[in-house]
Amino acid sequence: MTRTESDGGADDRLTSVLRPVRAGNGFEEALEQILQILRLGLVPGGERLPAERDLAERLGISRVTLREVLKVLQDQRLVESRRGRYGGTFVLARTEAPGEHELRRRVAEVDIEDVLRFREVLEVGAAGLCAAHGLDDGPAGRLREALAGTRDAPLADYRRLDTLLHLTLAELSGSPSLTAQYAAVRARVNDLLDCIPLLVRNLEHSQHQHGALVEAVLDGDADGAREVMREHCGGTAALLRGFLT
């Protein structure tokens, strides 16, 4: 079999998986799809992924964004880049890392889709409530302070301060029941997030969404706040599904 025939066969196997991503979470959703390809074994170890131009076109993203995705996969030792006439991005054979069995056991005990859907319902609801009811100077100051904390956070402390921002929004919704439920589901989300790597590209995107979210809440734009939060939750969900399911 020639290399072209082999690549064509791989392309055929990917048709049902690769699809254009939504504009709001292009990096996260593209990463999710390519991780799904690797987890399903649609491109076995030693074989080459489709060319960058082809992948970028299928996913509806720029080649710059695609290269950021491939860099994450290289850092996780899932693929490697080879130069030359027969170069490209090649899938590496999977070997179980220390602790991976325990990770799989922990993930298997969690209904990831249930956690993600419940989290989205609570987060979107809290954002809408805060914006619709309006925030006085004191609560508005708390929200701005929590946002500033995430902006200045060192990488190792980002998730804790990110959690604080989201929990602050839940508290300011005015519903103690919602706050309690959110605290519980966020703890489960953080357990899942601890199983995947921190990705600087994703954190930068999340921070942009945080700013838009707080602005919408303080402007009293309930529809805008709900939409930004829904998109924000979707980005996290895409990463968790890609790495863990």
Side-chain angles (χ1 to χ4, degrees):
M1 179 180 290
T2 67
R3 180 170 296 275
T4 300
E5 290 169 339
S6 174
D7 288 348
D11 285 354
D12 292 341
R13 294 194 297 268
L14 306 185
T15 301
S16 61
V17 177
L18 293 177
R19 60 195 180 278
V21 301
R22 292 169 293 186
N25 294 312
F27 168 81
E28 291 84 357
E29 292 186 13
L31 180 58
E32 176 190 12
Q33 289 189 42
I34 299 179
L35 281 166
Q36 185 179 25
I37 287 168
L38 302 184
R39 288 183 176 279
L40 293 172
L42 298 181
V43 181
E47 286 195 18
R48 183 171 61 182
L49 291 174
E52 284 187 7
R53 180 172 61 183
D54 183 25
L55 269 179
E57 288 177 354
R58 292 198 195 196
L59 292 165
I61 58 176
S62 70
R63 293 179 70 173
V64 171
T65 297
L66 177 63
R67 286 169 184 159
E68 292 177 330
V69 170
L70 296 177
K71 178 63 165 57
V72 169
L73 300 176
Q74 290 178 47
D75 290 345
Q76 297 301 304
R77 299 209 49 78
L78 297 174
V79 302
E80 69 176 4
S81 178
R82 301 178 191 170
R83 297 183 179 276
R85 181 179 178 185
Y86 297 114
T89 301
F90 288 79
V91 177
L92 295 174
R94 291 299 307 273
T95 57
E96 188 168 292
E100 190 167 334
H101 177 75
E102 172 63 17
L103 169 60
R104 289 203 304 269
R105 185 192 66 77
R106 287 171 57 193
V107 171
E109 294 176 351
V110 178
D111 186 337
I112 294 177
E113 286 302 319
D114 179 61
V115 171
L116 295 177
R117 288 169 183 164
F118 190 40
R119 181 245 178 144
E120 180 177 334
V121 168
L122 295 175
E123 294 259 31
V124 171
L129 285 171
C130 285
H133 294 165
L135 298 179
D136 294 334
D137 290 345
R142 282 186 60 196
L143 190 58
R144 290 191 185 96
E145 183 178 353
L147 175 63
T150 62
R151 287 195 185 116
D152 301 332
L155 195 61
D157 207 25
Y158 184 84
R159 281 183 179 155
R160 181 183 68 83
L161 293 169
D162 173 64
T163 298
L164 180 60
L165 170 61
H166 286 263
L167 189 57
T168 298
L169 195 67
E171 291 172 349
L172 295 178
S173 72
S175 170
S177 296
L178 186 154
T179 303
Q181 291 292 324
Y182 177 69
V185 78
R186 180 64 192 227
R188 303 192 76 183
V189 169
N190 283 356
D191 284 343
L192 295 174
L193 288 171
D194 286 342
C195 296
I196 70 173
L198 278 167
L199 306 178
V200 173
R201 173 66 173 81
N202 167 249
L203 298 187
E204 291 173 347
H205 182 208
S206 292
Q207 201 53 38
H208 175 76
Q209 291 173 328
H210 285 159
L213 172 65
V214 170
E215 181 179 353
V217 168
L218 296 180
D219 285 347
D221 181 2
D223 288 341
R226 284 190 289 263
E227 185 56 33
V228 173
M229 182 62 89
R230 187 175 290 109
E231 185 176 283
H232 183 59
C233 290
T236 302
L239 289 183
L240 290 172
R241 291 186 186 109
F243 277 105
L244 301 180
T245 64

